[in-house]
Amino acid sequence: MRALNTQLSRWLLGGAIYLTGWYYEGPALQAAQMGAISLLLMAGFFAALSGDTLRIRLSLVEWMFGFAFLFAMLVAWMTGNWLSTMYGAMLLLVLLSAAFLVRQSGAAQLIVVFRWAYVALIATLLVLEPGPLFQSLSGSVEYGLGLVRYQPLGMNPNLSGLVYGGGAILFFQRFLAADRNLHKLFALALSALCLSVLLAASARASMLALAIAGAVGVTLIALRGSRRSRMALVLAAFAGVLVILVEWGAIKDYLSLILDVDSPTRGVDSGATGRTDIWRAGMELVFSNELLLFTGRGIRSALPEVIGFPVESSYINLALEHGLVFGVLIAGAFFVTACRALRQGLNPGQFRYQRFIAGLMIIFLLAQSIFNRYLIGVGNPYSLWILVLILQLNLGTVASRSPTRQRRRAAAAPALDRGGFPSLKPHPTAGSN
């Protein structure tokens, strides 16, 4: 039963991730979002029920997130904002579920569940929306509307940039880790497909965020990486420069079109006044009330339908919803975790590039969050993955007094099928109860 409950929690988590990729407006969106949260909470419940969770004390980040969500919920309750109060309670339950999931003995395989959920989403796009995807990818322009931006499964183009830009990093990490050429090819193809969705959506903030994450990664590897990784960088740079020199004209024309640089509203002549005006209005609202500056207004209290305009920055959004103190602490937790993962990934003589790429995943989100409000969220696949990743990277030491029990639990870790996806077949060494 233990192995079955563990595998059931993984399948429920996979279903939750998949549902968060659907964003068609109307009742379907509400059903998908609520269904995803329900599946996520059930995944945490079965993870706890399995008895396969290790006794690892709460990390500082978990305490901080918990207090921040609880405080925001209390603020919303005291101000009579019942919707925000429910959001706070929901985030607390999600945090609890994620805490159980990352403490399972085989929690290192959670990333496999996320990758396969992404595979299912990409397959769905190719089956249901191949026309719109390739039309937008080709740079289709409609008179009076401008560039046609792809919205995968109804998702906002800016959000899809986060989701599929992050997906490209997830699969690139798999490409580096795979030991078989076929697995490497499969991961590289999926990474390319994610980048194709990003280009089709013309999500420029996410493109910039990927560039920043890439620049950070290249710089750190050049300074502290192994000789082999440095050589790989030199070869990749040489190949990239060669392609640019040969196809510069076509590349320039395509990027000018897909980035919409000539648009009167999105192009370089617009001066980015739309977003900067929104940021200015958001900052004025942050400092408009001295009490709310420190207490915040409650989770989801800065939605456009509440304050009258969209807050296109996670950092302004954190200040509005959680207040200045908790907002800085939350953003700081992401930044410190990313820096620690990058440093640990490049320890001299003990290179761990999987952890290094995990740090770049967070850097990508931090950079993208300057322009969008998705730093704290569970309603899309990548924000949900980052929440799980943050908890995993900050787990404390094992407090169990029985090493024998720990080894027994590790032996009962879920079996994986050949594709790396958790199987529902019980592990042969797992006991039942």
Side-chain angles (χ1 to χ4, degrees):
M1 281 300 292
R2 175 182 297 170
L4 182 60
N5 285 332
T6 299
Q7 297 306 319
L8 185 55
S9 74
R10 301 289 172 84
W11 282 99
L12 290 168
L13 175 61
I17 301 163
Y18 179 76
L19 281 180
T20 58
W22 287 77
Y23 264 78
Y24 288 120
E25 292 293 337
L29 174 60
Q30 298 299 322
Q33 292 286 296
M34 293 307 299
I37 295 299
S38 299
L39 290 177
L40 181 59
L41 297 181
M42 290 173 63
F45 171 76
F46 279 101
L49 187 65
S50 69
D52 193 32
T53 52
L54 301 175
R55 292 183 180 179
I56 303 176
R57 58 175 173 262
L58 291 176
S59 67
L60 181 60
V61 167
E62 287 172 319
W63 279 112
M64 189 267 291
F65 280 179
F67 277 122
F69 298 160
L70 179 61
F71 184 75
M73 184 180 70
L74 293 176
V75 168
W77 176 72
M78 292 179 67
T79 57
N81 190 339
W82 303 113
L83 182 60
S84 180
T85 304
M86 289 189 290
Y87 272 122
M90 179 197 72
L91 275 180
L92 279 173
L93 290 174
V94 168
L95 179 65
L96 180 63
S97 295
F100 278 115
L101 287 168
V102 300
R103 282 168 170 77
Q104 288 183 300
S105 59
Q109 297 299 324
L110 288 177
I111 191 172
V112 179
V113 181
F114 276 88
R115 288 198 189 109
W116 279 104
Y118 264 92
V119 170
L121 283 171
I122 294 170
T124 303
L125 299 182
L126 295 177
V127 170
L128 298 183
E129 301 177 345
L133 171 59
F134 291 110
Q135 181 186 16
S136 297
L137 193 59
S138 65
S140 177
V141 178
E142 292 186 6
Y143 180 76
L145 295 176
L147 181 71
V148 178
R149 302 177 67 188
Y150 180 49
Q151 301 183 55
L153 301 178
M155 187 179 292
N156 179 279
N158 293 330
L159 176 57
S160 65
L162 168 70
V163 171
Y164 292 95
I169 306 177
L170 270 170
F171 288 111
F172 182 70
Q173 184 192 49
R174 174 57 182 162
F175 165 75
L176 294 177
D179 54 0
R180 297 183 182 179
N181 290 333
L182 184 60
H183 292 173
K184 284 184 176 292
L185 183 61
F186 182 62
L188 197 60
L190 286 165
S191 185
L193 284 170
C194 286
L195 290 176
S196 298
V197 175
L198 173 67
L199 284 172
S202 186
R204 299 181 300 188
S206 296
M207 296 179 199
L208 178 60
L210 274 179
I212 292 173
V216 170
V218 167
T219 302
L220 291 177
I221 290 176
L223 293 175
R224 301 183 57 186
S226 64
R227 181 179 300 177
R228 182 178 179 182
S229 62
R230 292 176 182 176
M231 182 60 67
L233 281 182
V234 171
L235 293 176
F238 178 77
V241 170
L242 185 63
V243 170
I244 290 174
L245 289 177
V246 173
E247 299 291 341
W248 170 244
I251 293 173
K252 179 183 177 182
D253 291 342
Y254 180 74
L255 288 179
S256 298
L257 179 61
I258 208 69
L259 295 178
D260 217 9
V261 296
D262 296 323
S263 169
T265 56
R266 299 184 72 227
V268 293
D269 292 336
S270 67
T273 53
R275 186 168 261 115
T276 53
D277 287 345
I278 289 173
W279 288 346
R280 188 180 301 110
M283 291 301 297
E284 290 175 355
L285 186 58
V286 168
F287 290 96
S288 63
N289 187 300
E290 293 182 357
L291 178 61
L292 296 179
L293 173 64
F294 292 98
T295 65
R297 292 162 169 78
I299 297 169
R300 298 297 185 271
S301 60
L303 294 173
E305 54 267 28
V306 177
I307 63 175
F309 61 92
V311 180
E312 298 293 346
S313 171
S314 288
Y315 306 107
I316 299 175
N317 194 75
L318 283 175
L320 286 172
E321 295 187 352
H322 293 276
L324 199 59
V325 175
F326 275 121
V328 170
L329 288 175
I330 291 172
F334 280 83
F335 181 75
V336 171
T337 302
C339 291
R340 187 168 60 244
L342 293 173
R343 185 184 70 253
Q344 292 172 348
L346 293 182
N347 277 335
Q350 192 181 7
F351 297 106
R352 293 186 289 178
Y353 285 108
Q354 304 311 305
R355 184 172 289 264
F356 180 75
I357 297 296
L360 292 181
M361 292 177 187
I362 304 173
I363 292 293
F364 166 70
L365 178 61
L366 287 170
Q368 207 265 2
S369 293
I370 298 173
F371 307 96
N372 293 292
R373 55 175 184 84
Y374 307 122
L375 186 63
I376 289 289
V378 294
N380 69 81
Y382 194 70
S383 292
L384 181 56
W385 160 242
I386 291 296
L387 175 63
V388 171
L389 179 63
I390 289 286
L391 297 190
Q392 281 186 319
L393 293 176
N394 285 281
L395 280 184
T397 57
V398 178
S400 175
R401 297 181 179 179
S402 173
T404 303
R405 187 177 183 184
Q406 294 174 27
R407 287 194 297 268
R408 189 182 301 120
R409 286 180 172 179
L416 302 179
D417 61 23
R418 292 183 179 180
F421 194 79
S423 169
L424 286 179
K425 298 178 181 179
H427 194 284
T429 61
S432 60
N433 52 17

